[in-house]
Structures are given as C-alpha cells and as structure tokens.
C-alpha cells in the first residue's frame, strides 16, 4: 500500500510499503523527522521512501542514517534537493545499496514467524529427503538381493549347460564308436554273401535229388 500522509504512516507503519512526502513539497520539522526515524528502526514493510524537496538538513539526515542502520527492508530512498552533505548522502546511499543486496524476505514484519516457517520448511524438506533416502536404500538392497539371485541362477545354468555339453560329447563319441563297429562288421560279412548263396543253391539241388530218389523207391 502507498501513502503520502506521514501521520497515517506513523499510526500504522506496517500497512505501507511506499511513503511519498515530496509530492506536496511538505517541509518536515524536527519532530516529524525524529518520529519517522524511530519508526524506520523497527519497520520491516516500507521499501520505498521519497523525501525530496522537504527541507531536510544535516541533523535530520543523520537521524535518518542512524535509523537505517537497524533497517534492512528499505531499498529505495529519494533525498534530492535537501541540505545534506555529500559524505552523509554517500553513507545513506551505501546502506540502501546494502539492503538491496540482501535476500528478499530476510526481514519482515512477520520476521520470527517467517523464520519459524522457513525452519519448519527446512525440517519438512529434510524429513522428506530422509524418507526418500530410506526408500532408495531399501530399493537398493532389494535390487542387490535380486541381482545376486540372478547371478546364482546364471551360474547354476552355466554349470548345467557344461554338464549337458559333456554328456552330449560322450553320446557323440558312443555313436561314432557304434557306427565304426557297424561298418567293420558290414565289411567283414560283405565277402561271405556269394558263398552263402552258392551253398543255398547246392542245398536246393540236393533236396531235388533226394526227392527223386524217394519217388523211385
């Protein structure tokens, strides 16, 4: 919220983020500057303050500079056309630049609450990370157990394959041996085929002769 009413700001300083006093060319008196400085010491909502052309002198600017030492939220301050020394103006400007460089929300009207909230958020995030880490560890253990089981299974299958290959090798050797023995037997008996056939013919001829003799008798 923005205002150009100094009295309204002093009554409820936490309601405003911008105060413009220079627009009415209002000259601040010593009492008003003192009250404004006191409020700025503890105020954490005002971010913009326009005090140009209001007749501020060195003493008033010093009070303002001292108040800003305790303020970390005011990031824009206009002091043009006031009777302020260069060194004091530079001091005030340096503090405003420092405020600008601070992380947003470093101080707030709800500073303690925000701190608690941020702490709670960090704790919540930490708990989430811890829970997730435990889940990952459990998953990793389960995956490691599954990997070992698969490795054992592969090892067993390899051993079984090796045994089957050995049995197959022996079976092939037995087949080759039987084939070799069969071929040898065939070769040995192959030359006796003609002799058996001649003997069968001779036996048949003898049977014919025996039959004729029986008929003659």
């Amino acid at each position: 919220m923005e205002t150009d009413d100094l009295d309204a700001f002093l009554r409820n300083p936490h309601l405003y983020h911008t105060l413009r006093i220079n627009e009415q060319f209002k000259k601040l008196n010593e009492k008003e500057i003192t009250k404004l400085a006191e409020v700025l010491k503890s105020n954490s909502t005002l971010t913009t303050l326009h005090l140009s052309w209001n007749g501020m002198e060195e003493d008033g600017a010093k009070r303002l500079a001292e108040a800003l030492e305790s303020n970390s939220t005011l990031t824009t301050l206009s002091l043009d056309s006031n009777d302020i020394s260069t060194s004091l103006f530079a001091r005030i400007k340096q503090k405003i630049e420092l405020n600008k460089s601070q992380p947003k929300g470093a101080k707030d009207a709800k500073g303690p609450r925000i701190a608690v909230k941020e702490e709670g958020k960090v704790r919540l995030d930490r708990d989430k990370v811890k829970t997730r880490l435990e889940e990952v560890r459990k998953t990793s253990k389960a995956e490691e157990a599954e990997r070992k089981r698969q490795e054992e299974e592969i090892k067993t299958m390899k051993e079984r394959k090796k045994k089957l290959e050995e049995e197959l090798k022996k079976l092939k050797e037995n087949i080759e041996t039987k084939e070799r023995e069969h071929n040898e037997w065939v070769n040995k008996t192959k030359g006796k085929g003609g002799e058996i056939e001649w003997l069968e013919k001779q036996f048949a001829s003898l049977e014919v002769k025996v039959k004729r003799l029986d008929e003659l008798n």
Side-chain angles (χ1 to χ4, degrees):
M1 185 181 296
E2 182 176 331
T3 185
D4 57 8
D5 188 341
L6 178 60
D7 291 334
F9 172 76
L10 294 177
R11 286 195 300 269
N12 297 292
H14 62 282
L15 295 179
Y16 304 96
H17 60 76
T18 300
L19 175 60
R20 297 179 183 273
I21 299 179
N22 61 314
E23 291 184 356
Q24 296 179 347
F25 298 93
K26 175 179 173 58
K27 184 175 180 179
L28 296 178
N29 58 45
E30 183 178 350
K31 184 178 180 180
E32 289 173 329
I33 294 176
T34 300
K35 288 183 177 180
L36 177 61
E38 286 298 320
V39 170
L40 289 177
K41 287 181 180 180
S42 58
N43 184 273
S44 57
T45 56
L46 192 70
T47 60
T48 303
L49 177 59
H50 293 278
L51 296 175
S52 301
W53 298 94
N54 57 56
M56 184 179 293
E57 297 180 351
E58 190 79 0
D59 288 342
K62 284 182 180 179
R63 293 190 185 94
L64 186 64
E66 291 172 357
L68 289 177
E69 294 298 324
S70 303
N71 183 290
S72 62
T73 56
L74 190 67
T75 56
T76 301
L77 175 60
S78 298
L79 291 172
D80 298 335
S81 300
N82 287 297
D83 190 12
I84 303 173
S85 65
T86 304
S87 60
L88 184 55
F89 185 85
R91 174 186 170 187
I92 294 174
K93 182 179 179 181
Q94 183 179 11
K95 183 61 174 72
I96 295 298
E97 293 298 324
L98 178 61
N99 288 356
K100 287 182 180 180
S101 66
Q102 290 187 358
K104 189 176 181 181
K107 274 194 177 182
D108 195 275
K110 299 179 181 179
R113 295 182 183 178
I114 289 177
V116 172
K117 183 178 179 181
E118 290 299 324
E119 182 181 353
K121 183 177 183 299
V122 170
R123 187 181 297 111
L124 179 61
D125 291 343
R126 184 184 61 188
D127 292 341
K128 287 182 178 179
V129 171
K130 184 178 179 181
T131 301
R132 179 56 182 162
L133 181 59
E134 291 176 354
E135 291 176 353
V136 171
R137 285 176 176 172
K138 289 180 180 178
T139 303
S140 299
K141 289 181 179 179
E143 290 176 348
E144 180 66 16
E146 177 63 18
R147 183 184 64 80
K148 290 182 178 180
R149 187 192 67 78
Q150 291 182 1
E151 288 179 352
E152 290 294 328
E153 186 176 351
I154 291 172
K155 182 180 178 181
T156 302
M157 292 176 66
K158 286 182 177 179
E159 292 175 351
R160 179 58 180 166
K161 179 183 176 183
K162 184 178 180 181
K163 291 180 179 179
L164 290 173
E165 288 176 346
E166 292 176 352
E167 292 177 0
L168 180 60
K169 183 179 179 181
K170 291 180 179 180
L171 182 60
K172 287 182 177 179
E173 291 176 350
N174 290 335
I175 291 174
E176 291 175 355
T177 301
K178 294 296 182 181
E179 287 180 346
R180 186 170 56 254
E181 292 177 352
H182 174 70
N183 291 333
E184 291 176 356
W185 180 83
V186 169
N187 291 331
K188 288 180 180 180
T189 59
K190 191 174 182 180
K192 298 180 179 180
E195 181 178 353
I196 293 172
E197 184 180 352
W198 180 82
L199 290 173
E200 287 178 347
K201 289 180 178 181
Q202 293 296 322
F203 181 75
S205 176
L206 288 174
E207 283 185 339
V208 171
K209 292 180 178 180
V210 169
K211 187 176 180 180
R212 289 179 179 175
L213 289 173
D214 289 339
E215 291 175 353
L216 289 175
N217 295 330

